[in-house]
């Protein structure tokens, strides 16, 4: 099952109803037992999806919208396990992923998901070249410490694919874990003029929510987001959120520019 999302203009967002915002930008119900589900967005042609193998195995689908014999014929892939331990087979080579571990898969590979308690989140992007499949264990990645307790935005940024160390065509992704007692992420916010970014919020308690802010500076809107729900952030939109409890989020980007630090800061007074 895959859903197609079309690009929207910033002017549309300023006057949209809450229902319209959720329909266009919120990605729900990606994780269903025994299924692979996805959303194809025309913003930088990203595919975001979820695979929950249960007692069986699930192949990465070649959905018709891709117009290719396999999902990765012309694409590269980033995977993060948001469940318990499981494994991914890439061209029959087995990669074990614990909770929030990542895996980069190069163009042209065949991918199979397995693990009765695992839940795999994935993002694919068009790729012009093929690079090696690489396991990205969270325990082996030195996090970048950001924020402060005083600002309620202390967090650890795990950069899996970010334009350095690991070579990719366009895809960047990683995990940010909010420290206990902090609530804000990516605050102050910023813009990526040449890249679409997607956030998947994870590890929220059932009763908790993240209030995610999006839109142009000076005309921001918000979405209330549950555990394992994602939001698509077009290049013209800020992306920032605040949670009612502890959480983490998986960020992924694709587009024209793969310089991680190429962004435009937005001052709080400009919101």
């Amino acid at each position: 099952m895959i859903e197609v999302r079309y690009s929207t203009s910033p002017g549309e967002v300023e006057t949209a109803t809450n229902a319209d915002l959720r329909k266009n930008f919120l990605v729900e119900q990606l994780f269903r037992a025994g299924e692979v589900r996805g959303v194809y967005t025309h913003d930088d042609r990203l595919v975001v999806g979820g695979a929950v193998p249960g007692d069986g195995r699930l192949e990465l689908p070649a959905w018709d919208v891709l117009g290719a014999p396999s999902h990765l014929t012309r694409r590269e892939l980033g995977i993060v396990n948001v469940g318990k331990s499981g494994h991914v087979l890439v061209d029959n080579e087995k990669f074990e992923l614990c909770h929030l571990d990542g895996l980069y898969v190069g163009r042209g590979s065949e991918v199979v998901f397995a693990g009765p308690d695992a839940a795999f989140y994935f993002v694919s992007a068009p790729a012009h070249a093929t690079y090696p499949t690489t396991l990205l264990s969270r325990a082996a990645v030195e996090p970048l410490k950001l924020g402060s307790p005083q600002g309620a935005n202390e967090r650890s940024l795990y950069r899996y694919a970010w334009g350095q160390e690991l070579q990719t065509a366009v895809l960047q992704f990683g995990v940010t874990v909010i420290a206990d007692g902090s609530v804000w992420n990516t605050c102050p916010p910023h813009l990526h003029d040449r890249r679409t970014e997607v956030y998947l919020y994870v590890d929220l308690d059932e009763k908790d929510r993240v209030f995610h802010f999006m839109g142009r500076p000076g005309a921001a809107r918000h979405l209330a987001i549950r555990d394992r729900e994602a939001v698509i952030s077009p290049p013209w939109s800020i992306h920032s959120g605040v949670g009612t409890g502890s959480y983490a989020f998986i960020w992924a980007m694709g587009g024209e520019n793969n310089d991680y630090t190429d962004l435009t800061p937005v001052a709080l007074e400009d919101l």
Side-chain angles (χ1 to χ4, degrees):
M1 173 182 175
I2 189 164
E3 179 187 352
V4 176
R5 302 283 181 93
Y6 294 95
S7 298
T8 55
S9 73
E12 290 177 77
V13 169
E14 293 180 21
T15 58
T17 66
N18 285 345
D20 288 336
L21 289 176
R22 297 178 71 85
K23 179 181 179 182
N24 289 326
F25 300 101
L26 184 64
V27 180
E28 303 174 276
Q29 299 180 357
L30 278 182
F31 301 94
R32 291 285 186 91
E35 295 184 23
V36 182
R37 293 184 161 223
V39 169
Y40 178 100
T41 173
H42 282 266
D43 289 304
D44 285 310
R45 308 288 179 175
L46 296 179
V47 173
V48 299
V52 185
D55 294 329
R57 291 184 173 187
L58 294 173
E59 296 182 0
L60 182 65
W63 284 300
D64 289 344
V65 69
L66 301 178
S70 72
H71 192 112
L72 298 184
T73 298
R74 299 188 296 265
R75 288 177 165 262
E76 59 187 351
L77 182 73
I79 302 169
V80 177
N81 184 6
V82 299
K84 296 182 180 179
S85 295
H87 65 269
V88 178
L89 297 172
V90 181
D91 297 330
N92 293 318
E93 183 179 356
K94 187 176 181 180
F95 295 89
E96 296 282 352
L97 275 69
C98 296
H99 184 63
L100 296 186
D101 283 350
L103 181 69
Y104 169 77
V105 183
R107 187 182 67 170
S109 297
E110 297 292 335
V111 175
V112 177
F113 302 98
D117 299 311
F120 299 99
Y121 174 66
F122 61 86
V123 179
S124 73
H128 63 276
T130 302
Y131 298 104
T133 295
T134 305
L135 180 65
L136 302 158
S137 169
R138 185 163 69 114
V141 174
E142 183 68 27
L144 178 64
K145 300 292 186 178
L146 298 171
S148 67
Q150 294 81 6
N153 63 351
E154 186 179 11
R155 59 203 188 274
S156 297
L157 173 63
Y158 295 85
R159 295 175 292 188
Y160 289 166
W162 58 292
Q164 298 185 31
E165 300 174 8
L166 175 67
Q167 190 170 13
T168 67
V170 299
L171 185 64
Q172 298 186 10
F173 70 101
V175 175
T176 299
V177 179
I178 311 301
D180 289 341
S182 285
V183 292
W184 283 98
N185 68 68
T186 324
C187 189
H190 56 259
L191 298 169
H192 294 295
D193 288 335
R194 288 166 291 279
R195 287 180 292 185
T196 297
E197 185 162 11
V198 180
Y199 278 9
L200 177 80
Y201 288 103
V202 296
D203 293 349
L204 280 78
D205 189 83
E206 184 178 355
K207 69 179 187 306
D208 285 321
R209 299 290 185 271
V210 170
F211 291 87
H212 180 93
F213 297 95
M214 63 165 295
R216 287 189 294 191
R221 305 291 302 275
H222 78 274
L223 292 166
I225 299 180
R226 299 180 175 89
D227 183 46
R228 296 188 181 181
E229 292 183 343
V231 59
I232 299 166
S233 179
W236 45 262
S237 175
I238 65 166
H239 35 281
S240 182
V242 58
T244 61
S246 63
Y247 66 100
F249 67 96
I250 299 163
W251 47 270
M253 295 182 282
E256 182 182 3
N257 186 286
N258 61 3
D259 180 357
Y260 179 79
T261 58
D262 180 29
L263 53 84
T264 304
V266 177
L268 292 178
E269 57 264 30
D270 293 333
L271 295 181

